[in-house]
């Protein structure tokens, strides 16, 4: 069991997934709350009955999975809808992510949480928080290129997230992802060594 949990977060388009994979490649177990959310809302997913009861059968696509585009439109149009969605998904995500962190056997676990700063409760579960950071201009360009959505849509999503300053204020460690891959690998290598050192100190103290 790993007692050392590193919460990893960053704004949309910051490169969280890339950085999470780099830690995983160095041997850290990765618990990704976004991936868990996808599992819960896939066809036959554990959250689907409650979601369809709350939002109606039109929220399922042909296969029975959550129609994410329809849900996104509903949530943007109705602030109360976001709360209802979160009330269904968040407790399940927390339960599954906690179980996976407990089951992990690597010296430290990367717990990737897109809205870690916004949710407030993840801070208590993490020994360190690492924020993947890049200039907002770069965030917007990356998301437009990746998702094919307009600048206004990206800015609307960013407006629902913590600001860059709020994320940086919550960080114990910052990975700067401004496009220089060599520099990115070097930062992850350095943090990997630091987390291995800290986790081994905790492990010794617990024995």
């Amino acid at each position: 069991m790993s007692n050392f949990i590193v919460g990893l977060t960053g704004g949309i388009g910051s490169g969280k997934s890339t950085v999470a994979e780099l830690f995983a490649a160095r041997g850290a177990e990765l618990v990704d709350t976004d991936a868990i959310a996808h599992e819960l809302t896939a066809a036959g997913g554990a959250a689907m009955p409650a979601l369809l009861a709350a939002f109606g059968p039109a929220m399922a696509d042909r296969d029975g999975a959550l129609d994410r585009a329809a849900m996104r439109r509903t949530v943007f149009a109705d602030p109360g809808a976001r709360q209802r969605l979160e009330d269904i998904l968040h407790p399940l995500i927390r339960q599954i992510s906690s179980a996976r962190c407990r089951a992990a056997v690597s010296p430290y676990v990367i717990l990737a949480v897109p809205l870690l700063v916004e949710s407030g409760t993840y801070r208590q579960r993490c020994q360190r928080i690492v924020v993947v950071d890049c200039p907002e201009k770069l965030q917007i360009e990356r998301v437009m290129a990746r998702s094919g959505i307009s600048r206004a849509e990206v800015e609307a999503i960013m407006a629902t997230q913590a600001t860059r300053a709020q994320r940086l204020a919550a960080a114990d460690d910052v990975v700067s992802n401004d496009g220089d891959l060599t520099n990115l690998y070097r930062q992850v290598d350095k943090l990997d060594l630091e987390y291995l050192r800290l986790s081994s100190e905790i492990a010794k103290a617990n024995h």
Side-chain angles (χ1 to χ4, degrees):
M1 174 191 159
S2 180
N3 288 318
F4 197 85
I5 298 172
V6 178
L8 181 142
T9 194
I12 188 169
S14 60
K16 291 182 298 294
S17 303
T18 304
V19 172
E21 293 302 337
L22 289 175
F23 277 111
R26 284 154 180 75
E29 286 197 43
L30 172 60
V31 177
D32 183 342
T33 59
D34 242 2
I36 293 169
H38 278 274
E39 288 169 33
L40 289 168
T41 56
M48 286 309 294
L51 289 171
L52 297 181
F55 293 98
M59 281 301 157
D61 65 17
R62 278 202 307 270
D63 304 322
L66 180 69
D67 183 335
R68 300 179 83 82
M71 182 57 85
R72 199 175 299 124
R73 285 193 296 274
T74 302
V75 164
F76 271 120
D78 170 13
R82 174 186 295 276
Q83 192 59 53
R84 291 201 301 281
L85 174 66
E86 290 177 354
D87 287 346
I88 293 167
L89 282 181
H90 285 185
L92 291 168
I93 292 170
R94 197 165 291 135
Q95 196 181 338
I96 294 168
S97 61
S98 291
R100 289 184 186 174
C101 286
R102 281 196 302 274
V105 293
S106 56
Y108 70 91
V109 181
I110 292 287
L111 176 60
V113 186
L115 301 179
L116 187 145
V117 174
E118 295 84 338
S119 70
T121 57
Y122 279 96
R123 173 84 247 193
Q124 288 89 46
R125 290 172 54 193
C126 303
Q127 275 65 46
R128 302 284 290 184
I129 289 185
V130 57
V131 168
V132 183
D133 179 59
C134 73
E136 285 168 9
K137 180 171 167 286
L138 197 52
Q139 274 182 271
I140 293 168
E141 285 167 11
R142 281 178 183 157
V143 180
M144 284 170 69
R146 179 184 73 195
S147 306
I149 60 178
S150 69
R151 172 179 292 272
E153 283 176 285
V154 183
E155 287 173 347
I157 294 167
M158 286 169 68
T160 68
Q161 300 188 342
T163 63
R164 187 182 182 189
Q166 285 168 326
R167 274 192 299 273
L168 291 173
D172 296 305
D173 304 298
V174 176
V175 172
S176 172
N177 184 19
D178 54 8
D180 178 344
L181 280 180
T182 312
N183 183 33
L184 188 66
Y185 295 158
R186 198 164 39 235
Q187 292 175 81
V188 173
D189 280 336
K190 191 175 166 199
L191 286 174
D192 174 54
L193 290 174
E194 176 68 357
Y195 298 152
L196 288 171
R197 183 184 68 76
L198 290 169
S199 60
S200 103
E201 280 178 9
I202 286 184
K204 280 191 201 123
N206 288 343
H207 278 303

